[in-house]
């Protein structure tokens, strides 16, 4: 699925949605940043649920509109148009995707959804096509089927076609991720879990302390200074905002490496919150 951004009737940008969710807004931490004064910092979210694409307004000031009607959440599809501020967002079916398949460069941590007709990373002369009988690599004079799980060579790179791992739903209906956190500050140990995902174990004292502070009331914003004091105590003033940024990045990255959404810790300039559905502290 593709999303076209139109300004005064002209397409000014196009983004592939693929199988991932897409945050939209004016703030720089969105997946799609819209520089329009009538668009909120975190305005709307496009996400997949049970194989269908949905849009959710994130409490924006000026609203998300479809066919002239303000919507909070609705299912959307090809040719649907959404208006955010002065911009129009149009959905397009785009290329056909091979459900559950992804292409990865061997040894690299990033995989991309397999879509019919797209060129391989760094190899524009090569294209993948999805057919009824499988996925094919087209090199112009050569066309061959790609078996799942068997690496193949293209130039100096090796790629592999693989089945995408199952992950927990990214956006549940209550706005919190379906993750559960258990924190034992005395161990120290914090374990983040979710359906179909391997648990994440945090054993660093600083990382466990951060999650302990945030887990007091999941979903509630906590001031950065309060978090810093909870992690480093009197040493917080010496540690400062840079070290807090690094700490949060490492906690998010450790979870993201196992398939969790990094936004389970939400941030703004002065505060953050734990956006999960369940937390227990010992």
């Amino acid at each position: 699925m593709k999303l076209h951004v139109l300004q005064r009737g002209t397409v000014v940008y196009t983004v592939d949605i693929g199988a991932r969710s897409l945050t939209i807004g004016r703030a720089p931490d969105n997946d799609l940043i819209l520089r329009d004064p009538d668009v909120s910092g975190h305005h709307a979210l496009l996400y997949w649920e049970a194989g269908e694409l949905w849009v959710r307004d994130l409490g924006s000031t000026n609203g998300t509109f479809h066919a002239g009607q303000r919507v909070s959440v609705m299912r959307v599809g090809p040719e649907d148009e959404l208006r955010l501020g002065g911009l129009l967002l149009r959905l397009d079916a785009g290329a056909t995707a091979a459900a559950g398949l992804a292409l990865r460069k061997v040894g690299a941590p990033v995989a991309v959804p397999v879509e019919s007709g797209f060129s391989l990373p760094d190899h524009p002369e090569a294209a993948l096509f999805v057919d009824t009988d499988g996925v094919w690599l087209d090199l112009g004079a050569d066309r061959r089927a790609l078996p799942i799980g068997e690496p193949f060579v293209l130039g100096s790179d090796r790629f592999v076609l693989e089945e995408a791992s199952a992950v927990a739903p990214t956006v549940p209906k209550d706005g919190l991720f379906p993750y559960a956190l258990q924190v034992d500050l005395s161990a120290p140990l914090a374990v983040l879990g979710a359906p179909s995902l391997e648990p994440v174990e945090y054993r660093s004292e600083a990382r466990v302390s951060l999650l302990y502070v945030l887990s007091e009331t999941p979903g509630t914003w906590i001031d950065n200074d309060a978090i810093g004091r909870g992690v480093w105590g009197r040493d917080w003033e010496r540690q400062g905002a840079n070290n807090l940024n690094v700490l949060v990045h490492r906690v998010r990255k450790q979870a993201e490496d196992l398939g969790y959404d990094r936004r389970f810790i939400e941030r703004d300039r002065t505060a953050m919150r734990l956006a999960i559905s369940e937390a227990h502290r010992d």
Side-chain angles (χ1 to χ4, degrees), residues 34-204:
L34 300 180
R35 298 300 189 190
D36 184 292
D38 293 324
V39 172
S40 294
H42 299 92
H43 195 110
L45 179 72
L46 284 171
Y47 63 97
W48 293 94
E49 186 173 291
E52 296 178 322
L53 187 63
W54 294 73
V55 63
R56 178 186 296 276
D57 185 87
L58 298 177
S60 65
T61 301
N62 294 313
T64 299
F65 289 82
H66 176 266
Q69 300 294 316
R70 186 166 184 164
V71 298
S72 58
V73 60
M74 67 169 288
R75 185 178 62 189
V76 292
E79 306 306 321
D80 274 333
E81 293 183 343
L82 303 169
R83 181 168 294 281
L84 282 66
L87 300 174
L88 193 66
L89 276 57
R90 179 181 299 154
L91 289 157
D92 180 0
T96 301
L101 293 181
L103 181 73
R104 180 172 60 85
K105 187 180 291 187
V106 174
V110 177
V112 295
V114 170
E115 293 183 344
S116 188
F118 81 93
S119 298
L120 274 69
D122 302 321
H123 296 276
E125 76 284 0
L128 285 183
F129 292 93
V130 180
D131 207 337
T132 55
D133 54 353
V135 178
W136 294 79
L137 176 65
D138 193 326
L139 297 170
D142 179 27
R143 187 173 187 262
R144 62 180 186 265
L146 294 181
I148 296 175
E150 294 185 14
F152 62 94
V153 177
L154 193 59
S156 59
D157 295 320
R158 297 176 72 230
F159 294 91
V160 62
L161 188 67
E162 58 188 17
E163 294 183 353
S165 301
V167 298
T170 301
V171 184
K173 294 186 181 302
D174 61 3
L176 300 177
F177 295 101
Y179 305 159
L181 178 69
Q182 183 77 40
V183 186
D184 184 350
L185 193 60
S186 62
L189 174 65
V191 180
L192 182 69
S196 304
L197 289 177
E198 180 181 342
V200 187
E201 293 189 358
Y202 298 95
R203 297 184 180 275
S204 159

